[in-house]
Amino acid sequence: MEKKDQIGDTGALNEMKMVKAMWNGAENPPVTAEAKVGFAEGKVTLSCPTPSALIGWRKSSREAWKIYTGPFEATSGDSLYVNTHRIGYVAAEMGYVLD
């Protein structure tokens, strides 16, 4: 048995076959789950139930997206735009007003 067989190396697979394997054989990609937003004591926390998803956020549509790395400060009434995305999945984007 070759070493690549032991570790499940898929480098020789056609890219679409690899992506469909990520989709569990479905014809269409799964959707990344929406972020869970917490707001307490002036701090926003974000999480996503989709494993390996990245979370982006911004407070205005004019701002550049920031990658979420930990809690950040906000004020009640602030708008918040959140985007969750796992590679190979459909991204989910939503807007919130913090209260």
Side-chain angles (χ1 to χ4, degrees):
M1 178 180 285
E2 289 185 37
K3 187 174 183 174
K4 70 176 188 168
D5 294 327
Q6 293 173 352
I7 60 171
D9 185 1
T10 58
L13 267 183
N14 168 289
E15 188 174 334
M16 274 314 296
K17 286 183 181 178
M18 192 180 313
V19 169
K20 284 190 178 183
M22 289 172 51
W23 300 349
N24 296 319
E27 286 296 314
N28 297 306
V31 177
T32 307
E34 291 186 359
K36 297 191 182 308
V37 178
F39 180 59
E41 299 178 11
K43 297 273 187 180
V44 175
T45 56
L46 303 172
S47 63
C48 181
T50 301
S52 301
L54 292 174
I55 304 171
W57 67 275
R58 61 187 179 180
K59 290 184 180 178
S60 137
S61 60
R62 294 181 306 275
E63 288 183 1
W65 288 98
K66 297 172 185 76
I67 295 175
Y68 179 72
T69 58
F72 58 90
E73 293 184 7
T75 304
S76 183
D78 281 354
S79 294
L80 183 64
Y81 301 88
V82 180
N83 180 298
T84 54
H85 187 218
R86 177 178 172 169
I87 294 174
Y89 285 43
V90 174
E93 187 174 329
M94 42 277 154
Y96 300 90
V97 175
L98 301 172
D99 58 4

